[in-house]
Amino acid sequence: MAGYLQFESVTKQFPGVKALDGVSFEAHAGAVHGLLGENGAGKSTLLKILGGQYRPDGGRLLVGGRECRFQSAADAIEAGIAVIHQELQYVPELTVAENVLLGRLPHRFGLVDHGAARRLVAERLAAIGVDLDPAAKLSSLSIAQRQMVEICKAIMQDAQVIAFDEPTSSLSQRESEILFRLIGELRADGRTMIYISHRLEELYRLCDACTIFRDGRKIVTHPVMSEVPRARLISDMVGRDVHDIYDYRPRPRGKPRLKVSNLRGATLEHPNSFEAHAGEVLGFFGLVGAGRSELMRLLYGADRRAAGSVVELDGRRLDGTGPHEAISAGLVLAPEDRKEQGILPEASVAENINISTRRHSLLGGLFISARREAELAERFIKKLRIKTRDRNQEIRLLSGGNQQKAILARWLAEPNLKVLVLDEPTRGIDVGAKNEIYRIIHEVAATGCAVIVVSSELPEVLGIADRVLVMRDGRISGELERDEASETAVLRLALPESTQ
């Protein structure tokens, strides 16, 4: 029996790259079909064709047996298709209710009935277990809350085809469980679902079948996902065997490079103290809202510290006057929100790599050495295997994994690097790119740098860290050496005592 959703030899070309090359597969009603592949493999491009944002250069898209040629996103919505993109699509100055019902707001006497809109959305949010104020502006919500608004919008469109692109990348465990329950209900209701994620445990839990992409081409479709070994999925995705994705390498731990005492501020009321040693990968784990990112921003000087906070780097006290002081001393931060805080999207890859070290490129203190910057960019593009057309390509056109590697290149280019802080360094990144970033982390630690890795993925923390600090309710709740750190031990420290 033919699938409700069918792609037949779909092709899409962009200048200099074939994003999709004759892709064919089908997804069935009442099932979840996973799409797997490295960043840049073509998965998101396919969803943009499904959602009417792109038009294919060749091939056909069939929905319910009918060929569809969408000219816009509105056409796709009209055909019963909802796509929840990884890059969320919302209007920040509108309310939750207005975003959910955008284009379908109820009217009364020719005017938008805001009260009716809020009531309708409040009922639906309550029904699916999401606690949000329909009158709140999107700009006031967290990334995770905005993600739940997008999911609610798709469900309220009553779409027959729903596609999810990395939907849990910003969600807490509780919010993820709500989403998984909703997907189960939609499957039982006969909807056709496409699910993209780099978290294999999610794919095994949710997906009935899966299709694997590589370099814009379909590699294989597995009709029964549960029967495919994990190692086979990974090798299909990256085109090689990856025996140990974390690539852990034990190394001697040196003296403390970073000493933190009673660090707190307006964003983190409880004082926190810890040390990071030379040659160490120090993992920070905690549930969403535990205070991990807030602690790192205080450490970096991005947020104002409270009196009594002490940060010492190789015996030198940092006053917390701002990131410039931290960078000059050798402490750098790759932030959690890569898109908003990590890159300059309209600038080139070379400019993004050089933006911090530019102060070292000045000739006579006045002019930038274009040759030095070009050589530095080329060196790190090669060293970190950044996939880009050339150093002058706009960084926004790169995959998430390659954007992350460009941010890493920026900090590795610092001549005085002592402490590298990485907040969610592999969020939304495929297995192959994760493996490369882990390799970089271990190589940096081997030089004597202290590397702090903040992650909400527990297997990642356990896989790469020499020592794990766990946060709960804004404070460090415990410390575990690598041989002590198990999922049970870490979660016992991370979960509120009332749930244990």
Side-chain angles (χ1 to χ4, degrees):
M1 181 178 176
Y4 185 80
L5 176 65
Q6 297 171 267
F7 295 92
E8 294 184 353
S9 301
V10 174
T11 299
K12 182 64 181 177
Q13 182 102 18
F14 294 106
V17 62
K18 206 166 194 175
L20 292 172
D21 187 0
V23 169
S24 300
F25 73 94
E26 58 185 40
H28 292 267
V32 181
H33 195 103
L35 295 188
L36 292 78
E38 296 187 272
N39 290 104
K43 308 181 302 297
S44 295
T45 299
L46 190 80
L47 290 200
K48 288 180 179 177
I49 288 174
L50 176 63
Q53 291 174 280
Y54 291 163
R55 288 188 284 280
D57 297 322
R60 301 197 306 161
L61 167 65
L62 291 91
V63 179
R66 287 191 313 110
E67 182 175 354
C68 296
R69 294 185 177 274
F70 303 138
Q71 301 300 309
S72 66
D75 289 347
I77 293 170
E78 185 68 25
I81 293 169
V83 179
I84 302 169
H85 295 282
Q86 184 177 7
E87 302 293 341
L88 300 181
Q89 318 220 337
Y90 52 82
V91 183
E93 292 310 311
L94 294 184
T95 66
V96 169
E98 290 166 337
N99 271 276
V100 168
L101 297 174
L102 200 59
R104 300 174 294 115
L105 285 161
H107 288 74
R108 188 180 184 191
F109 306 122
L111 299 173
V112 173
D113 189 341
H114 292 285
R118 287 195 292 270
R119 287 192 296 274
L120 178 61
V121 172
E123 290 172 4
R124 185 57 63 94
L125 289 171
I128 65 177
V130 176
D131 183 19
L132 285 176
D133 179 3
K137 285 190 175 183
L138 259 287
S139 57
S140 69
L141 303 183
S142 68
I143 294 175
Q145 290 171 322
R146 295 176 196 179
Q147 181 75 279
M148 295 306 291
V149 171
E150 285 291 292
I151 292 166
C152 184
K153 183 199 300 184
I155 292 170
M156 289 192 70
Q157 287 174 6
D158 199 28
Q160 292 304 304
V161 176
I162 304 177
F164 301 88
D165 192 354
E166 294 286 348
T168 63
S169 62
S170 302
L171 301 186
S172 67
Q173 185 63 40
R174 176 185 171 278
E175 291 162 332
S176 294
E177 290 297 330
I178 291 173
L179 172 63
F180 299 156
R181 175 176 55 79
L182 290 173
I183 288 175
E185 293 172 0
L186 292 167
R187 177 198 276 120
D189 195 36
R191 312 294 178 93
T192 304
M193 284 171 284
I194 300 290
Y195 195 91
I196 294 177
S197 177
H198 294 305
R199 297 176 175 177
L200 294 184
E201 64 275 10
E202 285 182 13
L203 294 163
Y204 276 109
R205 175 174 178 175
L206 297 173
C207 297
D208 302 283
C210 71
T211 294
I212 295 175
F213 285 57
R214 193 191 317 142
D215 298 328
R217 296 187 298 274
K218 185 192 90 168
I219 300 303
V220 65
T221 291
H222 294 292
V224 184
M225 173 116 188
S226 60
E227 295 179 355
V228 188
R230 182 186 179 100
R232 170 72 189 278
L233 284 181
I234 294 174
S235 64
D236 283 344
M237 280 190 284
V238 303
R240 67 184 190 277
D241 289 334
V242 179
H243 300 291
D244 177 13
I245 184 177
Y246 302 112
D247 198 21
Y248 178 74
R249 309 170 193 181
R251 70 196 76 77
R253 183 185 303 171
K255 296 179 180 179
R257 298 214 78 160
L258 181 70
K259 293 184 178 181
V260 177
S261 303
N262 300 315
L263 181 58
R264 62 186 181 89
T267 56
L268 202 67
E269 296 180 0
H270 302 296
N272 284 277
S273 303
F274 67 94
E275 293 181 347
H277 296 251
E280 177 182 43
V281 178
L282 177 62
F284 267 82
F285 178 79
L287 304 178
V288 173
R292 301 160 306 165
S293 296
E294 291 82 357
L295 182 61
M296 297 306 134
R297 287 179 58 84
L298 288 169
L299 176 67
Y300 186 54
D303 292 334
R304 192 180 210 35
R305 300 175 192 160
S309 300
V310 177
V311 175
E312 292 184 348
L313 180 54
D314 281 354
R316 170 187 169 185
R317 181 160 177 166
L318 303 184
D319 296 326
T321 54
H324 182 269
E325 178 200 31
I327 294 169
S328 297
L331 189 158
V332 302
L333 167 69
E336 174 186 20
D337 192 334
R338 178 169 60 240
K339 179 184 173 185
E340 296 293 331
Q341 301 173 349
I343 63 169
L344 301 173
E346 304 300 325
S348 70
V349 175
E351 288 173 306
N352 272 274
I353 291 174
N354 278 287
I355 192 67
S356 175
T357 60
R358 183 158 282 168
R359 66 191 190 278
H360 302 298
S361 303
L362 297 177
L363 297 174
L366 296 174
F367 303 103
I368 293 171
S369 171
R371 187 180 72 175
R372 180 196 176 279
E373 291 204 345
E375 289 174 349
L376 186 142
E378 292 289 356
R379 176 156 55 92
F380 278 96
I381 287 171
K382 182 178 180 180
K383 181 177 180 179
L384 272 60
R385 303 172 194 168
I386 299 172
K387 294 180 182 177
T388 178
R389 184 190 65 221
D390 55 49
R391 68 175 183 272
N392 296 315
Q393 185 173 21
E394 289 184 8
I395 196 169
R396 65 183 177 85
L397 300 177
L398 271 57
S399 68
N402 286 297
Q403 290 178 3
Q404 188 69 40
K405 285 194 279 187
I407 296 170
L408 279 172
R410 174 192 306 161
W411 297 132
L412 297 183
E414 282 289 333
N416 188 38
L417 182 61
K418 297 175 180 177
V419 179
L420 174 62
V421 183
L422 305 173
D423 194 351
E424 299 286 5
T426 65
R427 173 172 286 169
I429 291 175
D430 63 76
V431 172
K434 282 183 178 182
N435 181 236
E436 292 187 0
I437 287 173
Y438 299 147
R439 172 184 59 82
I440 294 165
I441 288 171
H442 294 309
E443 288 177 356
V444 172
T447 67
C449 182
V451 183
I452 298 174
V453 178
V454 178
S455 178
S456 56
E457 292 191 38
L458 182 50
E460 177 172 81
V461 174
L462 297 177
I464 66 171
D466 300 295
R467 186 165 52 101
V468 179
L469 296 182
V470 184
M471 293 195 70
R472 182 179 69 214
D473 298 329
R475 68 182 79 200
I476 295 171
S477 58
E479 173 184 340
L480 297 165
E481 292 291 337
R482 182 177 178 83
D483 57 2
E484 303 172 319
S486 65
E487 290 198 12
T488 301
V490 172
L491 288 174
R492 187 178 293 120
L493 292 168
L495 290 169
E497 293 181 1
S498 59
T499 65
Q500 298 183 29

